[in-house]
Amino acid sequence: MFFTKTAPKQDESKKGAYIATLADNYLQNTLHTLNDQFVKDFLRGQFASLKYTLTGYDPTDLTYDEKLKLIALLYELNIKEKGIGNAKSEIEKIGLQIKDRLGVISAFNDGIKDLPDGVFSVHRIEGLPPEQLKEKLKLCIFELDKIREQVHINVDDRTTQLAAEKDVLEAILYNASDGVFALDRAGRIITFNKAMEDLTGYTFNEVELKLADEIIRIFEDAKPLETKVYCAMPGISSEKAAFSSEKITLVARNGGKKYVKMTSTTIQEGPEVNIGCVVTLKDVTKDIELETMKLDFVSIAAHELRTPLTSMRGYLSFLTDDIKTTLDDLHQKYLEKASIAADQLHVLIENLLNISRIERGTLVLEKTSQNWVSLVRSAVDQFKVSASTGKVTLTFMQTKSTIPEVYVDRTMILEVLSNLLENAIRYTPEGGRVTVIVEESNNMVVTHIKDTGIGIPQASIPHLFKKFYRVATVLKEGKKGTGLGLFISKEVVKLHRGEIWVESKEGEGSTFSFSIPEASAE
């Protein structure tokens, strides 16, 4: 009896050939689209009979099941690296190209049944007999009904959650202490909280969908502030920078005035949801009124003190001129100390009056054209005696032979120079140096007062030009001062359209600098 090897069925042979071709092509594609070494490391040790030749991997000797495992592993790897959508599209594209090239429709329909779930889903249904197709369709309808039911539940839950969040947000917004309103892209009011009702005297029902420019009367520097300035309108980019101002006056329905800080913010998705901006108004009326009362008190007190002080200084001057020579040394020192104290009090009162004028905006500069070098040199000369008494070397330098003239209020700018020179000499130890340097830069005349004194801690520098601020190390050393000179200097320089700044290192000295425009730039 002769035994012969049973030949495989023709369809099964074609099915195996299709899967073998798919495994080979899918492997080569993965090696090409992903990092070659990465794929090799991933497959290392997975298959005993997977050969690697000069031309690449050869999966010929793998069994049918091993080829299916190879495809599944590669599919899993592609999902991880490319995402399930791209991985599925890629393997199906390769599989369909092999089917068309080999013309093996039946082998294709049989082979894809063994591939991972989710791959060739549509084609698997196409290859099913009518009865199986009906069962599959019933199962799909059942699954779709379950999904639809779950979606409805999720939508209902999310809708309820969003409604609750909306109610919470509206409650917070309505009861917020600051006024909040929102405008659409046409400038109409779409949100208006209780604080806004209190500020304006209007209710939301009265103003809803009305133009803000007709209802909310706000002014900046006495000029009406229109919505097109602080809110994104059609034709204006939604990336418009946020608007803010601390000098806003709001006129209420009854004509009453409120002072507010205003911040307006555009919404990135504003054009899509028809929102122009959200505006916040913080009522600072009481703060402004309190500040005004403080300024009134300071101004009245300073004026009341000035009158008797003028008499005191006059009598002291008379005594110094007429009877000083008749007094002994002790009484002469008493008279000098009284004169110095009266002069210090005079400076303090003038500083308080200047602060009152600055903060009210009533300080008016009387500018004239001045030779800046001569002006600075005269200020330096006035402090020569003071510097010599403190054994400090005071020198003046200019970087160029000619410095342009400046357009300044001589009295006020001399006060700036005096403040800076006095501080430099006061806080420079014996044997130190104070150097005044004048230079020209970018149509500005810049003056530097450089000393080799005690310096300023870095933490104090940001606060140095604030009212009444004094450096802690200075207080410890018992140095006298009011903390007003630098504040006044900063404001006077600002009124001259210049800038003032300081560079300092504790223990190594400081350089105070300020710039003012050349007369030709005015």
Side-chain angles (χ1 to χ4, degrees):
M1 181 181 292
F2 295 94
F3 295 92
T4 58
K5 186 176 181 181
T6 305
K9 294 180 180 179
Q10 186 177 10
D11 288 345
E12 290 182 359
S13 177
K14 288 184 179 180
K15 171 183 171 182
Y18 174 79
I19 292 298
T21 307
L22 177 60
D24 185 31
N25 280 254
Y26 193 36
L27 175 58
Q28 302 311 319
N29 181 80
T30 303
L31 286 166
H32 176 71
T33 58
L34 298 180
N35 182 277
D36 188 273
Q37 188 59 47
F38 173 67
V39 178
K40 291 176 184 177
D41 292 340
F42 176 74
L43 294 175
R44 185 175 289 116
Q46 297 280 2
F47 305 93
S49 54
L50 184 60
K51 297 177 183 178
Y52 186 78
T53 66
L54 292 175
T55 58
Y57 277 110
D58 181 7
T60 305
D61 292 340
L62 296 179
T63 65
Y64 181 82
D65 290 339
E66 286 178 326
K67 290 171 183 174
L68 290 175
K69 178 183 176 182
L70 175 61
I71 293 171
L73 287 172
L74 293 174
Y75 182 56
E76 180 184 327
L77 181 62
N78 276 279
I79 289 175
K80 183 178 179 181
E81 297 299 316
K82 303 176 183 177
I84 189 168
N86 289 331
K88 182 173 180 291
S89 174
E90 195 170 76
I91 191 174
E92 288 183 349
K93 180 180 178 182
I94 295 170
L96 290 171
Q97 287 175 345
I98 295 171
K99 182 195 77 168
D100 294 340
R101 188 170 72 248
L102 299 180
V104 285
I105 298 174
S106 178
F108 168 77
N109 291 333
D110 289 340
I112 62 175
K113 295 175 183 177
D114 297 332
L115 296 179
D117 291 338
V119 178
F120 296 104
S121 302
V122 175
H123 301 86
R124 291 186 189 192
I125 293 174
E126 289 176 348
L128 291 176
E131 291 301 322
Q132 290 185 20
L133 187 59
K134 288 181 182 179
E135 291 298 322
K136 190 73 175 178
L137 185 59
K138 288 180 182 178
L139 182 61
C140 288
I141 293 172
F142 176 72
E143 291 295 330
L144 284 173
D145 286 339
K146 285 176 61 178
I147 293 171
R148 183 176 60 183
E149 184 180 349
Q150 187 60 48
V151 167
H152 284 162
I153 293 172
N154 291 341
V155 169
D156 290 342
D157 289 346
R158 185 58 181 157
T159 301
T160 303
Q161 182 182 354
L162 288 173
E165 291 176 357
K166 180 174 178 290
D167 290 341
V168 170
L169 182 60
E170 287 182 348
I172 293 172
L173 186 64
Y174 185 73
N175 293 289
S177 58
D178 294 340
V180 180
F181 66 95
L183 306 181
D184 65 14
R185 299 274 291 174
R188 294 186 294 260
I189 299 169
I190 54 177
T191 299
F192 202 79
N193 73 344
K194 185 177 184 300
M196 280 301 299
E197 293 178 344
D198 295 337
L199 282 170
T200 62
Y202 292 100
T203 65
F204 179 47
N205 290 335
E206 292 177 300
V207 303
E208 187 176 11
L209 295 181
K210 291 186 177 180
L211 293 173
D213 285 340
E214 298 176 358
I215 301 295
I216 304 172
R217 298 163 62 198
I218 49 180
F219 300 82
E220 185 178 31
D221 296 329
K223 297 179 181 178
L225 188 62
E226 299 180 349
T227 53
K228 64 182 180 182
V229 176
Y230 64 84
C231 193
M233 297 294 160
I236 300 176
S237 170
S238 60
E239 299 297 323
K240 177 185 173 81
F243 174 89
S244 64
S245 176
E246 297 188 359
K247 300 178 180 179
I248 299 295
T249 303
L250 183 147
V251 179
R253 184 178 196 171
N254 60 6
K257 291 183 179 180
K258 297 283 186 180
Y259 301 101
V260 296
K261 290 182 179 179
M262 178 177 180
T263 302
S264 174
T265 307
T266 56
I267 306 300
Q268 188 173 1
E269 297 80 10
E272 287 76 19
V273 293
N274 192 30
I275 295 179
C277 61
V278 177
V279 184
T280 303
L281 299 181
K282 182 177 179 63
D283 189 355
V284 292
T285 304
K286 291 183 178 179
D287 296 337
I288 297 293
E289 290 175 347
L290 180 61
E291 189 66 24
T292 302
M293 289 173 61
K294 287 162 61 178
L295 290 174
D296 288 342
F297 172 77
V298 168
S299 180
I300 291 169
H303 278 289
E304 291 298 320
L305 288 171
R306 179 193 261 179
T307 302
L309 180 61
T310 301
S311 298
M312 291 169 59
R313 294 181 72 213
Y315 286 126
L316 285 169
S317 176
F318 169 76
L319 290 172
T320 300
D321 294 339
D322 282 21
I323 67 170
K324 182 177 180 180
T325 55
T326 64
L327 299 175
D328 57 33
D329 291 343
L330 180 62
H331 288 92
Q332 285 185 23
K333 286 182 180 179
Y334 289 161
L335 186 59
E336 287 175 3
K337 288 183 178 180
S339 295
I340 291 171
D343 289 341
Q344 289 174 341
L345 185 56
H346 171 72
V347 170
L348 174 60
I349 289 172
E350 290 303 314
N351 282 342
L352 290 173
L353 288 171
N354 281 335
I355 287 176
S356 178
R357 296 185 191 106
I358 287 168
E359 297 202 337
R360 289 177 185 276
T362 58
L363 181 63
V364 179
L365 300 181
E366 297 181 2
K367 293 183 179 182
T368 56
S369 185
Q370 296 285 333
N371 183 310
W372 185 245
V373 173
S374 297
L375 195 66
V376 174
R377 183 172 280 116
S378 66
V380 170
D381 290 342
Q382 289 179 7
F383 281 89
K384 286 284 187 180
V385 175
S386 175
S388 178
T389 303
K391 297 181 180 179
V392 173
T393 303
L394 176 60
T395 56
F396 172 71
M397 296 171 53
Q398 65 183 85
T399 59
K400 293 184 178 180
S401 58
T402 57
I403 296 293
E405 289 193 344
V406 293
Y407 196 60
V408 295
D409 184 311
R410 181 183 176 88
T411 302
M412 296 307 300
I413 210 70
L414 276 174
E415 184 171 350
V416 174
L417 285 165
S418 297
N419 282 332
L420 298 180
L421 285 167
E422 183 180 0
N423 285 345
I425 294 169
R426 179 186 299 172
Y427 300 120
T428 299
E430 291 183 3
R433 299 184 309 279
V434 173
T435 306
V436 181
I437 305 168
V438 174
E439 62 181 355
E440 179 191 9
S441 177
N442 298 324
N443 296 323
M444 304 290 282
V445 175
V446 185
T447 306
H448 308 280
I449 292 88
K450 183 177 182 180
D451 65 62
T452 58
I454 61 176
I456 303 165
Q458 291 300 307
S460 296
I461 289 178
H463 310 285
L464 210 54
F465 295 97
K466 294 179 180 178
K467 280 184 298 185
F468 302 109
Y469 181 81
R470 299 195 64 208
V471 179
T473 53
V474 171
L475 293 172
K476 288 179 182 178
E477 293 181 8
K479 300 281 187 181
K480 294 182 179 179
T482 61
L484 296 176
L486 289 179
F487 170 77
I488 293 172
S489 297
K490 181 193 73 172
E491 296 300 324
V492 170
V493 171
K494 279 174 61 179
L495 287 171
H496 282 87
R497 298 194 300 111
E499 294 182 13
I500 187 168
W501 66 94
V502 61
E503 296 175 358
S504 182
K505 190 171 182 181
E506 196 169 7
E508 297 184 12
S510 308
T511 300
F512 282 83
S513 308
F514 68 94
S515 62
I516 48 178
E518 299 173 5
S520 60
E522 286 287 332

